[in-house]
Amino acid sequence: MMIALSFLLSFYGFLHFAMSVKKHHMDIYKGWYQAKPLSQREYWVMQAIAWLAMTASFYCAVVIWGIGIGSMAWLMLITVSALLVVALFSYRLQWFKWLWRYTCLGHKFAPPELKSSIDHRSR
């Protein structure tokens, strides 16, 4: 259970790292009216969330296996989760968009039209 949690936290962190890059942010939101690059505050919020998720992921791995094996296992987990984020962004952009909008902070950083369509779907 903790292994899956460690993996999901690292995946969540890498999603936020990817979306904190201005080019990636614009790639996800292109085509939406008034899509703007990230503000400095939004950038720092996403970076902070990503680093907190990565730290929590490391903690989970160390709790399971101890510091010696846990740190090596964590490096393996973050490698796999980083490759998964890169593959999703490169080859399955629609899946990446879905993950971003519904599992991360995509609803917070979405342009106004997208926010209203997300709000209407949730009711």
Side-chain angles (χ1 to χ4, degrees):
M1 180 66 178
M2 291 287 276
I3 298 167
L5 180 62
S6 180
F7 175 76
L8 289 174
L9 284 169
S10 65
F11 182 74
Y12 185 78
F14 278 119
L15 281 174
H16 280 83
F17 278 136
M19 287 303 293
S20 68
V21 176
K22 289 179 184 178
K23 181 190 178 306
H24 294 171
H25 182 81
M26 292 305 289
D27 285 346
I28 292 297
Y29 291 121
K30 72 180 172 190
W32 295 103
Y33 179 69
Q34 294 180 346
K36 296 181 241 179
L38 287 172
S39 69
Q40 198 65 14
R41 179 180 173 270
E42 291 170 337
Y43 169 79
W44 286 111
V45 166
M46 279 204 254
Q47 286 285 311
I49 289 170
W51 280 111
L52 286 172
M54 297 302 279
T55 304
S57 172
F58 180 74
Y59 175 76
C60 290
V62 168
V63 164
I64 299 168
W65 290 298
I67 193 71
I69 301 297
S71 59
M72 291 297 112
W74 180 72
L75 289 172
M76 185 264 320
L77 283 174
I78 66 170
T79 301
V80 172
S81 61
L83 285 172
L84 186 57
V85 168
V86 168
L88 281 174
F89 194 82
S90 299
Y91 300 109
R92 295 285 184 246
L93 192 58
Q94 293 301 321
W95 293 3
F96 186 93
K97 287 180 184 181
W98 185 88
L99 280 170
W100 174 248
R101 288 181 188 154
Y102 297 109
T103 63
C104 297
L105 293 177
H107 61 279
K108 164 113 177 55
F109 296 109
E113 308 71 49
L114 185 56
K115 283 183 189 176
S116 64
S117 68
I118 290 171
D119 291 338
H120 290 302
R121 278 187 239 154
S122 64
R123 291 182 187 166

